[in-house]
Amino acid sequence: MITDIDVPQRIEELEMLLAGLFDAAKRPTVSSVDEEERRYFQLSWVTASSADTSLDSRCALTVCFTRDQIDAYSHMPTNARDAFRARLGHDLIGRFNTTHAEKVDCSDCSVEYQVRDALLTKRA
């Protein structure tokens, strides 16, 4: 059974995955918001830096989990969580690269991603 302390640790595991996904000129920022039935993670990173930080080019990736998906992830054994994070990371990079390549305006560097249940059950 998952205790109250385990869920924040699982959330931190997902945040750490996101923070390491993309090469960044500066340290990426990861935040998460719990909205009862959904949990959103947002990753923001600098793709090109300048002396004036207000001119930095940034990208953002928003990842949405349902409450059931977070619960399922939290209950997985360590090896299953590791495998899920590997699948999720691969999927996120692919989605970002595909979506970003299709955009006409290259300055629009934001992608939203809804986690699929199949990723949690190894069917992806």
Side-chain angles (χ1 to χ4, degrees):
M1 174 137 204
I2 294 296
T3 63
D4 288 339
I5 199 159
D6 291 324
V7 174
Q9 289 173 343
R10 302 306 180 249
I11 298 303
E12 186 175 352
E13 290 172 359
L14 294 169
E15 290 172 343
M16 290 177 65
L17 164 73
L18 292 173
L21 275 182
F22 299 98
D23 289 332
K26 296 180 181 176
R27 186 176 183 192
T29 301
V30 179
S31 60
S32 68
V33 177
D34 186 359
E35 292 190 354
E36 297 298 320
E37 293 303 313
R38 298 201 180 281
R39 179 173 290 267
Y40 295 92
F41 293 85
Q42 183 166 50
L43 168 66
S44 174
W45 70 100
V46 173
T47 58
S49 183
S50 68
D52 180 354
T53 58
S54 67
L55 299 175
D56 286 351
S57 296
R58 292 191 157 272
C59 287
L61 174 66
T62 302
V63 181
C64 178
F65 284 82
T66 65
R67 167 73 53 211
D68 290 342
Q69 289 171 332
I70 291 292
D71 289 345
Y73 174 77
S74 296
H75 284 86
M76 289 178 175
T78 301
N79 62 339
R81 290 194 321 273
D82 290 345
F84 167 73
R85 287 193 310 274
R87 290 190 302 273
L88 178 62
H90 179 77
D91 215 36
L92 289 171
I93 290 168
R95 171 68 184 273
F96 179 81
N97 289 339
T98 300
T99 303
H100 189 55
E102 293 172 352
K103 292 191 177 192
V104 174
D105 181 2
C106 291
S107 67
D108 180 9
C109 189
S110 63
V111 175
E112 294 183 6
Y113 179 89
Q114 172 64 54
V115 174
R116 296 173 290 120
D117 288 338
L119 278 177
L120 289 155
T121 59
K122 297 183 185 180
R123 290 190 307 251

